[in-house]
């Protein structure tokens, strides 16, 4: 991973996908995916995604 513990470059993610997904699922971490140092996406635990996608009400 990069020097920031919650970030991983696209290149590194390709090599460490299984471990990264396990880290998110088991430890509940949010991992930001970077490309040329810019955050382009986030991998989040399912409960976080479900909370974000809940309909209002």
């Amino acid at each position: 991973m990069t020097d920031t513990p919650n970030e991983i470059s696209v290149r590194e993610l390709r090599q460490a996908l299984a471990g990264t997904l396990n880290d998110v699922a088991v430890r509940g971490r949010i991992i930001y995916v970077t490309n040329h140092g810019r955050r382009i996406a986030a991998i989040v635990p399912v409960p976080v995604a479900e909370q974000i996608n809940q309909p209002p009400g």
Side-chain angles (χ1 to χ4, degrees):
M1 284 195 188
T2 60
D3 49 20
T4 306
N6 66 333
E7 291 185 350
I8 188 168
S9 71
V10 172
R11 181 188 304 171
E12 292 169 321
L13 181 59
R14 284 185 186 124
Q15 297 173 349
L17 182 58
T20 301
L21 292 176
N22 186 60
D23 204 28
V24 169
V26 173
R27 294 187 178 91
R29 294 182 62 204
I30 296 174
I31 304 291
Y32 296 97
V33 181
T34 63
N35 189 24
H36 300 290
R38 282 186 40 241
R39 288 180 175 179
I40 60 168
I43 304 171
V44 300
V46 170
V48 173
E50 288 174 341
Q51 183 178 18
I52 291 168
N53 287 321
Q54 281 184 345

